[in-house]
Amino acid sequence: MSDAHGVARDQLRAFIERIERLEEEKKTIADDIKDVYGEAKGTGFDTKILRKVIQIRKQDKDERMEQEAILDTYLQALGMIDLPQDAE
């Protein structure tokens, strides 16, 4: 086999091994996160709400405000919430 093929093979092997290590780290971190949610649940926190809070904190303010406005519009259209008094 030529040196070029050997180098390509070595690079490929290095990439695969790095990905495998990172996948293992990702699994470990996912397990750690699961444990933290379990601790929070054990102290009485609602984990669904915690997950929602995490999701919201990842958004920037404008994105969050836009989504909340759209959600309010949909809920109003379905009669699930009342229109604000000044909007009527």
Side-chain angles (χ1 to χ4, degrees):
M1 186 169 285
S2 71
D3 286 341
H5 287 106
V7 170
R9 182 182 59 227
D10 292 344
Q11 281 183 317
L12 177 60
R13 186 185 324 265
F15 284 132
I16 296 297
E17 289 172 355
R18 284 175 51 199
I19 292 168
E20 288 172 341
R21 280 193 304 276
L22 291 169
E23 288 290 342
E24 185 58 36
E25 289 176 26
K26 183 169 72 171
K27 182 187 178 312
T28 300
I29 290 170
D31 290 343
D32 291 346
I33 291 170
K34 183 178 176 183
D35 290 345
V36 173
Y37 278 114
E39 289 176 40
K41 185 176 184 175
T43 60
F45 289 99
D46 185 317
T47 57
K48 288 181 183 179
I49 301 303
L50 288 176
R51 290 179 194 280
K52 184 67 175 173
V53 169
I54 299 294
Q55 178 189 17
I56 290 169
R57 286 174 53 108
K58 288 180 184 178
Q59 298 172 339
D60 69 6
K61 182 180 177 182
D62 293 335
E63 180 184 4
R64 185 173 63 247
M65 289 175 60
E66 180 182 350
Q67 285 187 5
E68 287 173 0
I70 293 169
L71 177 62
D72 284 347
T73 301
Y74 288 5
L75 293 176
Q76 288 172 7
L78 295 170
M80 296 175 70
I81 61 173
D82 294 327
L83 290 171
Q85 292 298 325
D86 58 338
E88 296 181 316

